[in-house]
Amino acid sequence: MINSQNIVARSATTLPAPQARDNVVEVAKLIDVSKCIGCKACQVACMEWNDLRDDVGECHGVYDNPMDLTAESWTVMRFSEVETEVVGGNDVSAEKQLSWLIRKDGCMHCAEPGCLEACPAPGAIVQYANGIVDFDSNNCIGCGYCITGCPFNIPRISEKDSKSYKCTLCSDRVNVGLEPACVKACPTNCIEFGSKQDMLARAEKRVNDLKERGYEQAGIYDPAGVGGTHVMYVLHHHDEPGLYHGLPKDPRISPVVGAWKGITKPIMSAILGITAFAGFFHYITKGPKEEPTDEEVFGEGDDHHRDSREEEHRP
């Protein structure tokens, strides 16, 4: 835990957050996919800084390696070979061209994090005032509800210790004024880091540049369904985010999580309360349950069964 005074939300608790500091600037990481060359320097830097060593995988005939996020690979490069509209004049707009769309995948650090909403372990997931969503593994119980709650399918449970892991946005580096390791390692500066306000301004400028070059659908991926994110993308095909290896167009927290934490929880609490009250009322009106006598069980004169029962209870 880097700074408990900057925590604005904790999982599974109703205690109010510290209010003394109100001048913390929201941060954000901006990933311009139009500049990405897929070198995977960000993957290496992430594992190096966080001292992670994933298993050596196998070649599956694609550039993705590993094929998915794991408890030891908190960010992976996604390569998508797709057909897109030809960028140029109207005379060729109906034709298709082959495009490589490369996206750095990892935690989006949602302003309204579904993982935190779903987590039943007190303090296992926290959100800092600067927007970073972090996991405290000491409090994780490995239930996997954070995976269910995440609209981007990011957290992974480790087979080694049954705890959940994901990108921390290098919260330890950010806390001392450094940029995340992936930003530091990127050779094309397609990953930038700073205040969210500054990153939005840079993204807007880049989107305008892309539109001037013919990418009319260029835009900023900062989905409102999760309150915005602190990891944003500049996409040249913003109208079709699914082209970038299934990036959801309108991510939202699962209604199952909302029902569990919103409706089901107070209903279950009410049922438990009614059950406890009914038991107490029965005790007051009927008294404690009494053990029936041998005469009530076996009847008058049944000495054989009475002797057998006394024999069973004899030490």
Side-chain angles (χ1 to χ4, degrees):
M1 197 59 55
I2 59 173
N3 194 331
S4 59
Q5 291 300 311
N6 282 337
I7 294 175
V8 295
R10 298 175 188 268
S11 57
T13 180
T14 56
L15 296 176
Q19 304 290 325
R21 296 177 180 172
D22 58 359
N23 59 348
V24 179
V25 176
E26 280 191 66
V27 297
K29 181 165 64 179
L30 177 64
I31 304 172
D32 184 351
V33 300
S34 66
K35 293 182 179 178
C36 181
I37 58 175
C39 66
K40 301 185 181 181
C42 53
Q43 277 189 218
V44 176
C46 176
M47 299 181 74
E48 190 70 26
W49 177 258
N50 293 293
D51 198 17
L52 301 169
R53 299 292 182 271
D54 206 347
D55 295 334
V56 177
E58 299 178 356
C59 179
H60 294 267
V62 295
Y63 291 124
D64 303 52
N65 191 1
M67 294 296 293
D68 196 8
L69 297 165
T70 71
E72 287 82 25
S73 290
W74 296 352
T75 187
V76 297
M77 298 305 297
R78 307 287 197 181
F79 296 80
S80 301
E81 186 177 350
V82 299
E83 287 187 342
T84 60
E85 298 293 335
V86 174
V87 177
N90 295 330
D91 56 332
V92 294
S93 60
E95 299 180 8
K96 297 286 185 178
Q97 67 179 12
L98 189 65
S99 300
W100 276 103
L101 302 181
I102 308 170
R103 177 172 68 90
K104 177 184 177 300
D105 195 9
C107 179
M108 299 294 287
H109 295 271
C110 307
E112 298 171 3
C115 57
L116 190 150
E117 182 71 18
C119 179
I125 303 177
V126 299
Q127 184 179 38
Y128 299 117
N130 61 7
I132 294 177
V133 179
D134 206 355
F135 281 12
D136 185 348
S137 300
N138 293 317
N139 296 327
C140 179
I141 59 175
C143 64
Y145 283 10
C146 55
I147 302 173
T148 304
C150 177
F152 298 97
N153 186 30
I154 297 299
R156 294 291 184 271
I157 301 293
S158 172
E159 295 181 356
K160 297 177 181 176
D161 58 10
S162 298
K163 292 181 180 295
S164 188
Y165 295 93
K166 71 167 188 68
C167 159
T168 66
L169 204 56
C170 287
S171 56
D172 50 347
R173 290 175 60 90
V174 174
N175 192 46
V176 295
L178 299 175
E179 57 193 0
C182 59
V183 179
K184 186 76 173 178
C186 181
T188 63
N189 291 327
C190 83
I191 312 175
E192 297 183 90
F193 182 78
S195 71
K196 182 161 184 176
Q197 186 177 7
D198 288 346
M199 293 300 102
L200 283 171
R202 294 193 186 191
E204 191 68 36
K205 184 178 180 181
R206 179 59 179 165
V207 167
N208 291 335
D209 180 50
L210 288 172
K211 287 184 175 178
E212 290 177 358
R213 293 168 50 193
Y215 293 99
E216 299 177 354
Q217 301 302 324
I220 306 169
Y221 187 82
D222 182 24
V226 291
T229 56
H230 293 89
V231 173
M232 302 181 294
Y233 293 107
V234 170
L235 305 177
H236 22 33
H237 304 288
H238 180 257
D239 57 327
E240 297 182 88
L243 293 176
Y244 301 85
H245 205 281
L247 189 63
K249 189 169 187 177
D250 186 22
R252 296 180 182 276
I253 299 175
S254 169
V256 176
V257 175
W260 176 47
K261 289 298 189 76
I263 300 175
T264 309
K265 192 172 182 179
I267 290 177
M268 293 303 297
S269 298
I271 292 175
L272 288 174
I274 293 172
T275 303
F277 177 77
F280 177 75
F281 183 76
H282 182 273
Y283 181 84
I284 295 299
T285 56
K286 301 295 183 180
K289 183 179 180 181
E290 295 182 354
E291 188 76 15
T293 63
D294 291 344
E295 287 74 14
E296 292 174 335
V297 175
F298 304 112
E300 292 291 341
D302 192 349
D303 296 336
H304 173 69
H305 287 88
R306 184 183 301 112
D307 294 341
S308 299
R309 189 179 190 189
E310 290 176 355
E311 184 68 26
E312 291 175 356
H313 290 80
R314 187 172 298 144

